[in-house]
Amino acid sequence: MIKGIIKKGEYFDSVTLMIVSKEINKIAGVVDSSVVMGTNENKAILKMAELYIDLFDKSDDTDMLVVVSAESEVICSEAIKKVDEHLKQIRNKSDDSGDFNPKSFEGAVKQMPEANLSLISVAGKYAAAEARKALKNGLHVMMFSDNVTIEDEIGLKKLAIEKGLLMMGPDCGTAIINGVPLAFANVVNRGNIGIVAASGTGLQEVSSIISNLGGGISQALGTGGRDVKKEVGGLMFIESIKALENDPQTEIIVLVSKPPHAEVLEKIAAEIKKLKKQVVAILIGGDAKIVENAGAIAAKNLEEAAVIAVALSAKKDYKVDLQKLAERKAKNFVIAQDLAKNNKGKYLRGLFSGGTLCDEAQLLLRNSFGFTYSNTPLNAEYQLKNIWKSEKHTIIDLGDDEFTAGRPHPMIDFSLRRKRIIEEAKDTETAVILLDVVLGYGSNLTPDDELVPAFREAKKINPNLAIICSITGTDKDPQNRAKVKAALQSAGAFVAETNVEAVELCEGVLGECGK
Amino acid sequence: MINKLFNKDLKVINTGISSFKENIEKEGAQAVQVDWRPPVDIDESVWDIINLNKEKIEEANQKALQIILGGKPVLLGMDIAEKVIPGMKKNLILHSGPPIAWERMSGPTRGAIIGALIYEGMAATPEEAEKLASSPQIEYAPCHEHSTVGPMAGIVSASMPVFIIKNETYGNIAYCTLNEGLGKVLRYGAFGPEVIERLKWMEKTMYPILKSAIESLGKIDLKNIIAQALHMGDEVHNRNRAGTSLFYRAIAPAIIRTSENREDMAKVLEFINGNDHFFLNLSMPAAKATLDAAMNIPFSSVVITLARNGTDFGIRISGTGEKWFVGAALVPDALYFPGFTKEDANPDIGDSAITETVGLGGFAIAASPAIVQFVGGTAKDAVNYTLAMYEITAGENNIYQIPYLNFRGTPTGIDVRKVIERNLTPFIDTGVAHKNPGVGQVGAGVLSAPMEPFKNGIIGFAEELKTKN
C-alpha cells in the first residue's frame, strides 16, 4: 500500500526532510517513506525506491512530496499526518526566538550589513546564483552544496579571485575560519597551523589529530574536491595557499588533497617554491616527489601529516615523532593478537562514512593485503558487483551517492551502517569490522547511542568478532570524543586514535587470523 | 585580500541547512539565517529578457515608486454613481476583482448583485433578480476599470452614493461606495429586507448630510488621516477604528453646521461612530487614487492592482497597463464567527487588497498590535509579516510609518520580479464571506496571495518587454 500527497508551496531543507522521513520510518507498519521537494532529481530517486505515484506528475520544484509505503491504508494516512506534526514542531522550534528570518540574501544583508561570509547549502541548481550574489556584495563564500556545474564553479572562483575573496566549494563540507567551525567541522585548538584541503574528511581528520596532539589551527580552508581537477586548475587551492602565506598567525601550512591533476600539481609545486613558510603535504595516494622537490615535506598519510605539522609548529624534529609512530605499530601487534583470539573469520569489512578515510584505509591495506573490494575501489577490477553485499576484504564508503540517494549522510544517519554491521557479523567469514566515527558539528550528536546496540548485537552473533573504530574528533566537539570512546569500548569495540592506527590493528588481526 | 577576513569577527549569512547557523552561534560567532525557498519555476527566457532590461526596469520602478509616494489623496465630495463614475449606467453593475461573467461568480457576489437589483427597483424578489442578473440585460465590469474600488463583493449600482477622492498631485479621481457596517450587509452577499432598507437610508438620509458637510469643508486630507491612523494602531484594512475616529472628528462639526434635522444628523453620526470600518471605504479609494497615477509606466514591474472577485485573484502591473493576470482565489485562514468554519468560507474576495498594494493592510500589520490574533497571536508575528514584505517591494513609504519599527516607512510598491524570485506573495488582511448568497460575513483573517497571478504576470511582463526590444 503506497499513499502520497503533494504539499503546494511548502519548503524545508533536505536535511530536515530526511530527518522527518527517518522518524516516519520508525512507525510500526511503515515499510518505507520519503519526504522531499518535487525536483526531477528527487522524483528519479523516488522512482528507484518504488515510492513514486502518478499524482506526483503534477508537482514541481516548489512543491513538497510526501509518500508512505505501509502495511495498510490506515497506517499510511496516520504516517502522513505525522509528517505534518513533525514539520510543525520543527517550524515552531525554528520560530521559537520569534526573530525575523530574512527571506533572501538581500534581506539578510540589510539585517547584518557587516556580514563577511555566506554559507550556502541549498540545492545545487540554486547555489551558484546565491554565491554570485554574495561575491558581488563582497562576501566570502563557503558552498556546501554539490551538483553545481563545473562552468559555474570556474566562473565563481574567477569572480572570487578578482574580488580577493574565498570561494570554498562547491561540495566543500568543512572549514574553520577564525576558530569558527563551519558546516561539518570539529572544534579544535587555535594555533599556528594553517590547512588548505580539497578533501572534507581529510581536513577533519588532520585538524582533529593536530588538536588532540596539542597543536592548533589558524585557519582551515576547504576548496571542494573538484578544485584540483584539470578543469578548475587549482584556482582556489592556490589562492588559499597564498592567503595562509600572508597570514601572520600561520607558521606551518598543511596541504591535504586527493592526487591533483598533473598540471595542477605542477602549479601547486610552483607555488610551494615561492613560500617562506614550511609546508607539509599529504596527497592521498599520489606521487609526492613533485611537492618534495618543491620544498614541502611529504607525509604518507593523514596522521603523519598532522604529526609532522605539530612537531614543526613546536619547532621540534618531526623525525622523532615519526619514529614513535613506527614503534606504536609493534605495540599494537600485541593488541591485535588479543583481538584475533578464537577469531574464525578471514576478512576485513570496512564500513566508512568519510570518503577520504575510506580511500586511506584502502591505500594502507593495499600495501599489506592487496586491493580490497569496494563501491569506490582503487582498482576497477575490485568494484563490488552488488554494493549491498561484501566480498572477501571489502571497504565501502557509505557516504557515496549510491548509498545516500534519498537518505541523510551516514555521518548523520547511522541506520544503514547499523544494519550492515549486523549483516557482516552474521557472515562467518568476517574477522574484523572497521569503522570511522566522525564527530564534530553537522554529524550525529549521539553516535555512541547509535553504534553501541549494534556492536552488542554483533558481538552476540559472533563473540569473537573484532570491531575496530577510529574517531575523528576532539573532546571539545559537541559529542565529546572521550565520552564516545568510552561508550564504544564498553560495547566491545577497540578504539584507535586515528584511521591509520585502526587500519594497522586490522592488519595485525587479519595476519593472526590467517595463521 | 582574503587575509582581511582573518582579522575580523566572522559574520555569516547562512542559506540552507539551518543547524549550520545554530552551530556557528554556539561557537560564538554571529549568523543570520535566510528563510530561503526555491524561486518559482519560470522559463529561463523570461528571466533572460527581464535581466537584459534590468536597468530600465529599476529606473521605471523608481519612477513608479516616486509617483506612489508623491500621491496626495483627498476626499473631495460625494455624488451618485451614475452621475460621476465614468461609463456608469443603469444596467451596469460594477464588481470587485478581475472581470468575471455571472456563470462563474461566487455566492457572495451573486447575492450582492441580487440585493443591488432589488435596491435599484429592477427586481421585486430575489428570484426575479437572479433571473435578470443572468440575462444579457445586465452588464458587468470590474470596479477597477471604472476608477472605482469596492470592498468584498464590491457591488456598485447606478443610484448608490459614492465618495469622490482626488489625487491632488496627479489629478486623477477614484470612487467608492459608503461602508454599511458589519454582519448582514450587501458587500458580504446579504440581500434581505434589512440590507436594502439600510442602503436606502444611506442614500436618502446619510448621503445628503455627508455630501453637504464635505462640501463645506472643501476637502479632507486622507493621506494625513491614514498616516495618523497607523500611529494609532490601525493598518487601515482590517482595523479602521482610528481612521474612522479621525474622520469623525473632521466631519462632525461640519455636519452640525450644514444640516438641519437634528435626529437625522445624530443617526448619521451614530452610524459612523458605530461602524469601525467606515473609514475602509475611504482608505481604499485613497489607495486606488494613489496607485492609478503610477499605471502605464513602460518597463515598470510594480504592481498597481491586487483584487479578487471571490473566484479569481487578479493583478495588474504598471508596465503592462490595464491587462489582468489572474489565478484562482484561495480561502483565507481566519477566525470564524461562532457557528461557522472554513467549510463555510468563500474564496478571498474584494478590492480591499488595494490597501496592501499601496503599503498598508497586511504590509503595515506591524503597526496594528490590536489585531495580531489574526496572524498567530503575538505582536512579533505581526512584525515579522511586515518585515517579510520589505523583501518584495520596490521601496519604503515616506509618510506611512510603523512606530514599532522606529517609524520605518511601510513596504511599498510590490515588485512582481521579487515575488517570483523569493517565492513570496503579498500578505493580505481580509474579511471572510459565506460562500452562499444571502448569508453575509462569517469571519476575518489573513492570507498570502496565490502565486499563479504573479507567475502569469511576470510572463506577461516579459512578453511586453519583448515588444519593446
Side-chain angles (χ1 to χ4, degrees):
Chain A
M1 176 73 218
I2 293 183
K3 210 173 153 182
I5 55 164
I6 300 175
K7 293 177 87 70
K8 284 253 163 233
E10 286 258 17
Y11 177 78
F12 287 91
D13 69 69
S14 57
V15 174
T16 300
L17 293 181
M18 285 188 284
I19 289 168
V20 170
S21 80
K22 194 180 146 193
E23 289 300 313
I24 297 306
N25 283 342
K26 286 182 187 164
I27 299 171
V30 170
V31 180
D32 203 356
S33 75
S34 186
V35 188
V36 291
M37 296 306 293
T39 60
N40 288 335
E41 295 83 357
N42 286 337
K43 284 180 187 172
I45 290 167
L46 290 182
K47 277 176 189 159
M48 278 203 304
E50 293 178 356
L51 284 172
Y52 192 84
I53 54 172
D54 293 341
L55 174 76
F56 293 165
D57 289 352
K58 280 188 280 182
S59 65
D60 64 36
D61 284 13
T62 56
D63 298 329
M64 198 170 91
L65 311 181
V66 180
V67 60
V68 177
S69 158
E71 285 162 10
S72 72
E73 189 173 352
V74 180
I75 297 173
C76 280
S77 305
E78 281 301 307
I80 289 172
K81 248 190 245 162
K82 279 268 185 277
V83 170
D84 271 341
E85 282 172 30
H86 283 296
L87 290 175
K88 210 181 209 171
Q89 257 174 22
I90 289 163
R91 181 141 276 172
N92 287 347
K93 193 181 147 211
S94 62
D95 288 350
D96 243 5
S97 64
D99 289 338
F100 177 71
N101 286 340
K103 312 291 172 192
S104 64
F105 173 80
E106 292 83 351
V109 169
K110 269 192 195 161
Q111 198 166 318
M112 190 189 261
E114 65 290 4
N116 46 29
L117 185 134
S118 168
L119 173 50
I120 298 164
S121 54
V122 297
K125 64 194 272 199
Y126 308 112
E130 293 297 321
R132 206 164 287 125
K133 279 192 274 187
L135 293 171
K136 282 188 177 162
N137 276 276
L139 276 78
H140 301 269
V141 171
M142 172 168 176
M143 190 189 278
F144 181 83
S145 317
D146 58 1
N147 294 320
V148 173
T149 66
I150 197 137
E151 292 76 22
D152 276 335
E153 175 168 359
I154 294 167
L156 289 169
K157 284 183 170 168
K158 284 189 171 155
L159 176 61
I161 291 168
E162 197 182 294
K163 298 217 154 219
L165 297 167
L166 280 172
M167 174 64 221
M168 301 188 279
D171 202 10
C172 174
T174 309
I176 304 167
I177 307 286
N178 303 347
V180 180
L182 297 171
F184 280 68
N186 302 90
V187 185
V188 298
N189 299 331
R190 289 213 76 180
N192 59 0
I193 301 170
I195 306 177
V196 180
S199 147
T201 27
L203 197 165
Q204 287 195 270
E205 175 82 346
V206 172
S207 60
S208 294
I209 299 173
I210 287 173
S211 190
N212 292 338
L213 291 173
I217 304 300
S218 54
Q219 306 290 341
L221 310 175
T223 66
R226 219 162 48 181
D227 194 81
V228 293
K229 297 249 153 90
K230 184 181 177 187
E231 293 84 349
V232 188
L235 283 174
M236 206 33 66
F237 205 86
I238 285 167
E239 286 307 305
S240 301
I241 295 173
K242 284 184 196 164
L244 293 183
E245 172 76 358
N246 294 328
D247 173 33
Q249 265 98 48
T250 301
E251 288 172 27
I252 313 294
I253 299 173
V254 181
L255 307 179
V256 183
S257 173
K258 292 184 190 177
H261 183 270
E263 287 171 20
V264 180
L265 188 56
E266 288 293 345
K267 279 194 227 168
I268 293 172
E271 195 59 41
I272 291 173
K273 266 187 203 156
K274 292 187 220 158
L275 303 181
K276 293 196 184 71
K277 292 177 184 171
Q278 263 182 312
V279 178
V280 182
I282 165 64
L283 307 175
I284 302 133
D287 184 0
K289 283 227 173 60
I290 297 170
V291 286
E292 268 182 318
N293 290 342
I297 300 163
K300 286 208 242 1
N301 52 53
L302 297 167
E303 180 184 46
E304 255 194 44
V307 167
I308 295 167
V310 171
L312 292 176
S313 77
K315 304 200 165 47
K316 290 199 294 199
D317 182 3
Y318 66 86
K319 295 209 173 78
V320 178
D321 296 283
L322 289 185
Q323 185 55 38
K324 279 186 198 152
L325 285 183
E327 286 159 14
R328 178 188 69 189
K329 206 167 179 175
K331 268 189 232 157
N332 278 346
F333 186 67
V334 184
I335 297 167
Q337 273 182 321
D338 189 46
L339 289 171
K341 216 175 270 173
N342 299 325
N343 194 330
K344 307 272 189 314
K346 286 195 280 192
Y347 296 124
L348 167 73
R349 301 289 152 81
L351 310 175
F352 279 83
S353 59
T356 303
L357 298 176
C358 178
D359 282 350
E360 188 180 59
Q362 292 192 70
L363 284 162
L364 292 166
L365 254 291
R366 183 184 63 185
N367 300 333
S368 48
F369 286 82
F371 286 111
T372 44
Y373 285 88
S374 179
N375 58 328
T376 57
L378 300 175
N379 177 338
E381 282 176 34
Y382 286 78
Q383 179 70 44
L384 279 174
K385 280 181 209 79
N386 174 2
I387 59 166
W388 303 99
K389 186 100 191 66
S390 299
E391 287 177 56
K392 297 183 180 160
H393 294 308
T394 292
I395 300 180
I396 54 171
D397 173 14
L398 286 122
D400 201 51
D401 294 347
E402 302 160 289
F403 286 111
T404 55
R407 225 179 253 115
H409 195 275
M411 290 181 192
I412 301 169
D413 179 358
F414 279 69
S415 48
L416 260 193
R417 282 220 282 187
R418 284 203 317 244
K419 230 159 106 184
R420 190 80 177 226
I421 288 166
I422 304 306
E423 280 166 26
E424 302 296 354
K426 282 180 183 161
D427 183 346
T428 51
E429 294 198 317
T430 306
V432 193
I433 294 176
L434 167 67
L435 296 110
D436 63 336
V437 180
V438 180
L439 309 184
Y441 282 115
S443 291
N444 190 304
L445 287 175
T446 53
D448 36 346
D449 291 350
E450 302 279 344
L451 288 173
V452 164
F455 287 177
R456 293 226 161 99
E457 198 181 334
K459 282 281 191 184
K460 213 185 253 174
I461 294 163
N462 180 359
N464 299 318
L465 177 75
I467 301 174
I468 298 170
C469 302
S470 69
I471 301 178
T472 299
T474 73
D475 290 349
K476 288 193 272 187
D477 278 329
Q479 298 88 346
N480 188 327
R481 187 178 195 282
K483 177 183 164 277
V484 174
K485 182 177 175 178
L488 298 182
Q489 278 172 332
S490 75
F494 185 88
V495 179
E497 290 305 304
T498 66
N499 188 44
V500 174
E501 188 187 13
V503 174
E504 275 174 19
L505 281 159
C506 290
E507 288 171 331
V509 174
L510 292 174
E512 282 302 298
C513 290
K515 280 179 186 166
Chain B
M1 286 285 276
I2 289 173
N3 293 71
K4 282 190 192 160
L5 176 66
F6 302 155
N7 303 321
K8 287 182 189 152
D9 288 337
L10 191 66
K11 295 196 174 178
V12 182
I13 291 175
N14 186 48
T15 310
I17 300 169
S18 56
S19 60
F20 289 171
K21 179 233 180 195
E22 292 155 24
N23 298 340
I24 289 164
E25 286 176 332
K26 272 183 211 149
E27 290 301 312
Q30 286 179 39
V32 172
Q33 177 69 25
V34 176
D35 183 12
W36 186 89
R37 34 185 73 217
V40 178
D41 207 10
I42 293 282
D43 197 83
E44 258 182 56
S45 66
V46 169
W47 282 123
D48 288 347
I49 184 120
I50 286 172
N51 290 333
L52 198 69
N53 289 286
K54 194 169 178 236
E55 278 166 30
K56 281 183 189 159
I57 295 171
E58 295 291 346
E59 201 182 310
N61 285 353
Q62 277 316 304
K63 189 176 164 192
L65 182 67
Q66 289 316 315
I67 291 173
I68 293 168
L69 298 184
K72 195 162 179 260
V74 298
L75 172 59
L76 216 52
M78 293 188 74
D79 214 322
I80 296 299
E82 196 183 3
K83 292 190 190 157
V84 283
I85 293 178
M88 194 65 202
K89 51 187 180 179
K90 264 275 171 272
N91 69 331
L92 176 66
I93 299 255
L94 303 181
H95 59 77
S96 59
I100 188 166
W102 170 264
E103 292 71 37
R104 291 186 64 245
M105 282 179 188
S106 66
T109 304
R110 286 182 176 206
I113 291 169
I114 291 167
L117 292 176
I118 296 172
Y119 163 76
E120 293 290 341
M122 295 168 80
T125 64
E127 292 72 27
E128 230 179 280
E130 194 164 351
K131 207 171 153 202
L132 178 63
S134 61
S135 78
Q137 274 171 273
I138 301 297
E139 294 172 25
Y140 298 103
C143 291
H144 266 296
E145 295 182 1
H146 291 263
S147 303
T148 302
V149 276
M152 303 311 288
I155 298 305
V156 182
S157 63
S159 48
M160 288 182 184
V162 291
F163 288 123
I164 302 166
I165 282 80
K166 183 177 184 184
N167 182 340
E168 282 196 319
T169 319
Y170 297 97
N172 58 300
I173 308 277
Y175 306 92
C176 189
T177 53
L178 301 175
N179 194 290
E180 317 154 69
L182 287 171
K184 286 209 179 219
V185 287
L186 189 78
R187 72 176 189 281
Y188 279 94
F191 52 74
E194 76 274 29
V195 177
I196 309 299
E197 214 170 285
R198 189 188 305 114
L199 288 174
K200 282 289 171 198
W201 176 81
M202 287 166 72
E203 181 191 333
K204 302 293 177 210
T205 308
M206 186 168 184
Y207 159 62
I209 290 175
L210 277 179
K211 183 180 162 83
S212 50
I214 296 164
E215 272 165 12
S216 77
L217 290 169
K219 65 181 181 191
I220 296 176
D221 185 340
L222 296 178
K223 190 168 195 173
N224 189 322
I225 292 184
I226 292 169
Q228 289 186 61
L230 287 175
H231 289 189
M232 295 163 73
D234 280 1
E235 36 69 276
V236 301
H237 185 171
N238 256 2
R239 190 181 199 270
N240 278 291
R241 181 170 285 187
T244 301
S245 304
L246 292 168
F247 178 75
Y248 186 96
R249 277 166 58 171
I251 202 78
I255 286 178
I256 309 288
R257 279 200 191 98
T258 55
S259 291
E260 273 156 22
N261 186 318
R262 192 175 284 216
E263 185 52 27
D264 284 349
M265 289 191 292
K267 280 210 170 110
V268 167
L269 288 170
E270 274 166 4
F271 185 84
I272 298 172
N273 184 46
N275 175 10
D276 282 343
H277 278 293
F278 192 83
F279 189 70
L280 175 65
N281 290 39
L282 289 164
S283 66
M284 282 175 58
K288 165 82 173 163
T290 305
L291 287 157
D292 272 358
M295 190 62 134
N296 282 315
I297 297 171
F299 293 99
S300 172
S301 58
V302 167
V303 174
I304 300 298
T305 310
L306 297 178
R308 315 84 96 199
N309 58 30
T311 306
D312 301 318
F313 190 116
I315 72 167
R316 297 193 296 177
I317 300 164
S318 178
T320 53
E322 313 296 324
K323 202 167 179 226
W324 289 93
F325 301 100
V326 299
L330 308 174
V331 176
D333 282 323
L335 296 175
Y336 289 96
F337 298 163
F340 295 104
T341 68
K342 200 167 181 175
E343 294 295 304
D344 301 306
N346 194 75
D348 197 22
I349 182 166
D351 286 333
S352 57
I354 196 73
T355 55
E356 278 79 12
T357 322
V358 86
L360 300 166
F363 284 49
I365 193 151
S368 195
I371 57 166
V372 292
Q373 62 268 36
F374 290 132
V375 294
T378 73
K380 211 152 196 179
D381 291 329
V383 170
N384 288 352
Y385 276 115
T386 288
L387 288 175
M389 290 302 102
Y390 286 107
E391 305 225 20
I392 57 167
T393 50
E396 298 178 9
N397 213 288
N398 50 347
I399 304 292
Y400 303 148
Q401 302 161 334
I402 314 263
Y404 179 80
L405 297 176
N406 295 322
F407 298 93
R408 186 174 177 186
T410 64
T412 303
I414 300 160
D415 184 343
V416 72
R417 295 174 305 165
K418 292 183 179 174
V419 170
I420 297 295
E421 196 190 350
R422 285 159 203 182
N423 200 345
L424 183 67
T425 59
F427 179 70
I428 298 170
D429 296 340
T430 194
V432 186
H434 197 284
K435 62 186 175 188
N436 295 330
V439 183
Q441 188 179 10
V442 294
V446 294
L447 84 166
S448 289
M451 187 55 79
E452 206 185 342
F454 295 91
K455 212 167 157 174
N456 293 334
I458 199 156
I459 293 167
F461 179 68
E463 272 161 17
E464 178 68 23
L465 290 178
K466 273 181 210 154
T467 68
K468 291 191 158 54
N469 279 272

